[in-house]
């Protein structure tokens, strides 16, 4: 127990408290900016079982804030890369990697295996999914969010406390709030907020201190000021989730069936003629795809830039990881613009494919 001696000599923790930490099971949603510091500090603290779920891969732009990773991690799945690094940080605990998306189909089963859920996601759809699954499985949720220079932390669904829906009953309009890949974020901010989340997790495990249950802590990195907002439990919002419990696992399937998005590989699109390639990332995002003639239409500007779309051609949309391009295809289909396809590989993999196959496609397609 020499590893945890600085914990054990604290009268508020002691050997009994460290044993609680060692017996705890915590699931972290996302190994990104918030997930990295959460995972590092919980691993160092000796949390006995830590799960991490993330389907994304490590990219160069992540290293500005996701300090768990290095250049040797580039191209690896984040959950697996995190597992490798964390196991080296503490070989005495169990790190379980789930290199897959969190969905309505797997959330309930997964959450039941853990004591505490930590939300490190960066989109509203996942936040509401995590919140609702925590309500159904009765698991405490440690929430964190970041935006440019501002961050938020709270604890939801703890001992009949309020949930995320008590604060924000309904999701904002799709793409109304950009994520950090679109708007930017100060590199140290997720480290600060993620560390606060890890602190709340340890307080829950140990049963000490005053938790942020019923409170939203807001931090401003520009001024170093914090403020705390009170959150009241809304029985109607929580009951609405419980009332739909039986249909929870079918929810994603229902949504997906409403608008079917066709995904195609880059190899399929390259072999086609009369194709318009559309990059729906923000203009500043790298890497650029220089071996193709590309039309740049950020997802946030899509509906106001329809004049840039060639209706006579097939439309092949891509982004960083296939998520925004899939959403963009849905938007276009809702506007009755057809022959739209999402390339799930993303810009980096498209470049790799073109380089490996020595392809430079002319501007005339």
């Amino acid at each position: 127990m020499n590893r945890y001696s600085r914990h054990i000599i604290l009268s508020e923790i002691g050997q009994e408290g460290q044993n609680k930490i060692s017996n705890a099971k915590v699931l972290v949603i996302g190994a990104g900016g918030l997930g990295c510091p959460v995972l590092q500090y919980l691993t160092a603290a000796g949390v006995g079982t830590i799960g991490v779920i993330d389907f994304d891969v490590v990219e160069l732009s992540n290293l500005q804030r996701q300090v768990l990773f290095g250049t040797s991690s580039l191209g690896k799945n984040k959950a697996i890369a995190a597992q490798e690094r964390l196991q080296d940080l503490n070989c005495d605990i169990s790190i379980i990697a789930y290199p897959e998306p969190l969905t309505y189909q797997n959330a309930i089963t997964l959450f039941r295996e853990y004591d505490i859920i930590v939300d490190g996601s960066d989109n509203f759809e996942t936040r509401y999914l995590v919140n609702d699954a925590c309500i159904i499985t009765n698991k405490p949720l440690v929430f964190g969010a970041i935006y440019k220079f501002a961050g938020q932390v709270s604890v939801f669904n703890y001992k009949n406390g309020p949930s995320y829906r008590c604060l924000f009953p309904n999701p904002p309009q799709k793409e109304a709030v950009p994520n950090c890949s679109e708007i930017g974020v100060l590199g140290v901010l997720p480290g600060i907020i993620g560390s606060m989340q890890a602190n709340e997790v340890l307080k829950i495990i140990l049963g000490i201190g005053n938790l942020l249950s019923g409170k939203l802590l807001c931090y401003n990195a520009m001024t170093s000021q914090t403020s705390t907002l009170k959150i009241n439990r809304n029985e109607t919002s929580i009951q609405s989730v419980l009332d739909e419990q039986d249909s929870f696992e079918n929810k994603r399937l229902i949504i997906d069936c409403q608008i079917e998005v066709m995904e195609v590989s880059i190899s399929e699109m390259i072999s086609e003629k009369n194709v318009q390639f559309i990059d729906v990332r923000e203009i500043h995002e790298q890497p650029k795809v220089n071996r193709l003639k590309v039309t740049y239409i950020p997802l946030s500007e899509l509906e106001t830039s329809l004049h840039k779309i060639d209706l006579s051609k097939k439309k092949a949309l891509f982004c960083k990881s296939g998520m925004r391009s899939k959403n963009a295809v849905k938007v276009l289909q809702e506007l009755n613009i057809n022959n739209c396809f999402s390339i799930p590989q993303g810009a980096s993999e498209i470049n790799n494919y073109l380089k490996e196959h020595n392809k430079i496609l002319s501007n005339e397609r």
Side-chain angles (χ1 to χ4, degrees):
M1 280 295 181
N2 188 50
R3 178 190 289 269
Y4 310 117
S5 62
R6 301 305 189 274
H7 268 175
I8 294 170
I9 60 177
L10 289 169
S11 59
E12 295 85 352
I13 298 180
Q15 185 63 61
E16 182 181 352
Q18 189 59 48
N19 289 342
K20 290 180 181 179
I21 295 173
S22 297
N23 291 327
K25 296 181 179 181
V26 179
L27 176 65
V28 179
I29 312 299
L34 294 172
C36 283
V38 171
L39 288 164
Q40 285 170 295
Y41 276 107
L42 295 185
T43 297
V47 172
T49 302
I50 299 175
V52 53
I53 180 167
D54 200 315
F55 69 94
D56 204 359
V57 298
V58 181
E59 297 188 354
L60 187 61
S61 63
N62 299 149
L63 304 187
Q64 167 249 14
R65 63 202 175 280
Q66 298 175 20
V67 295
L68 181 61
F69 308 122
T71 53
S72 62
S73 304
L74 294 176
K76 290 185 179 180
N77 169 268
K78 286 184 180 180
I80 293 175
Q83 180 188 44
E84 293 172 355
R85 174 68 186 95
L86 296 171
Q87 210 68 79
D88 180 60
L89 178 60
N90 191 343
C91 61
D92 296 327
I93 66 173
S94 176
I95 310 290
I96 305 173
Y98 303 95
E100 59 191 80
L102 182 72
T103 68
Y104 284 90
Q105 285 70 56
N106 63 15
I108 300 299
T109 301
L110 199 55
F111 284 22
R112 283 177 175 150
E113 298 296 317
Y114 292 87
D115 306 317
I116 302 168
I117 311 300
V118 182
D119 186 2
S121 64
D122 63 354
N123 64 85
F124 287 100
E125 183 178 10
T126 303
R127 287 173 188 163
Y128 282 90
L129 162 58
V130 171
N131 173 79
D132 294 354
C134 282
I135 290 174
I136 292 171
T137 57
N138 195 27
K139 303 293 182 178
L141 167 61
V142 179
F143 165 80
I146 52 176
Y147 182 81
K148 297 177 71 173
F149 297 94
Q152 300 174 340
V153 187
S154 188
V155 174
F156 295 120
N157 203 48
Y158 179 75
K159 293 185 176 180
N160 293 317
S163 75
Y164 182 66
R165 284 190 184 270
C166 299
L167 179 62
F168 303 111
N170 300 302
Q173 271 194 324
K174 187 188 295 184
E175 310 305 332
V177 181
N179 58 34
C180 68
S181 67
E182 300 165 329
I183 202 70
V185 64
L186 182 67
V188 299
L189 179 63
I192 296 168
I193 300 302
S195 296
M196 290 181 179
Q197 288 181 273
N199 184 48
E200 294 301 304
V201 171
L202 291 175
K203 288 193 294 182
I204 292 173
I205 294 170
L206 293 166
I208 62 174
N210 296 316
L211 292 173
L212 288 173
S213 177
K215 292 172 281 189
L216 180 72
L217 186 149
C218 304
Y219 172 78
N220 187 321
M222 294 288 276
T223 63
S224 296
Q225 291 182 323
T226 60
S227 59
T228 304
L229 306 178
K230 183 179 180 181
I231 308 170
N232 295 317
R233 179 179 169 92
N234 185 318
E235 294 293 345
T236 302
S237 295
I238 293 173
Q239 190 59 46
S240 67
V241 175
L242 295 173
D243 289 343
E244 295 183 5
Q245 179 174 346
D246 291 341
S247 61
F248 182 87
E249 294 183 5
N250 293 323
K251 189 173 182 181
R252 183 70 260 164
L253 294 176
I254 294 170
I255 294 173
D256 282 345
C257 286
Q258 291 175 352
I259 298 179
E260 183 178 358
V261 175
M262 181 69 72
E263 293 185 330
V264 295
S265 67
I266 181 61
S267 59
E268 290 178 82
M269 280 289 98
I270 290 297
S271 63
E272 292 276 351
K273 293 182 179 180
N274 204 35
V275 176
Q276 180 184 23
F277 289 90
I278 302 175
D279 186 343
V280 298
R281 297 175 298 164
E282 295 298 304
I283 299 298
H284 65 269
E285 290 187 61
Q286 299 291 336
K288 299 299 182 185
V289 177
N290 295 319
R291 296 190 176 210
L292 292 176
K293 181 184 179 182
V294 175
T295 303
Y296 294 94
I297 309 178
L299 178 58
S300 58
E301 302 173 12
L302 187 60
E303 293 189 56
T304 60
S305 302
L306 299 180
H307 61 281
K308 296 182 181 180
I309 296 175
D310 190 337
L311 300 180
S312 68
K313 295 182 178 181
K314 294 181 179 179
K315 277 71 69 178
L317 286 68
F318 65 91
C319 57
K320 183 181 80 168
S321 62
M323 296 299 290
R324 278 177 283 173
S325 61
K326 191 172 182 179
N327 286 334
V329 170
K330 289 183 179 180
V331 171
L332 292 178
Q333 288 180 337
E334 288 172 352
L335 295 171
N336 293 318
I337 298 176
N338 300 314
N339 282 327
C340 300
F341 306 89
S342 170
I343 300 176
Q345 289 104 322
S348 295
E349 291 188 47
I350 292 173
N351 275 337
N352 290 338
Y353 176 88
L354 295 172
K355 184 177 180 180
E356 288 174 8
H357 294 79
N358 196 28
K359 289 186 178 291
I360 301 178
L361 301 187
S362 69
N363 290 346
E364 299 300 326
R365 287 187 61 79

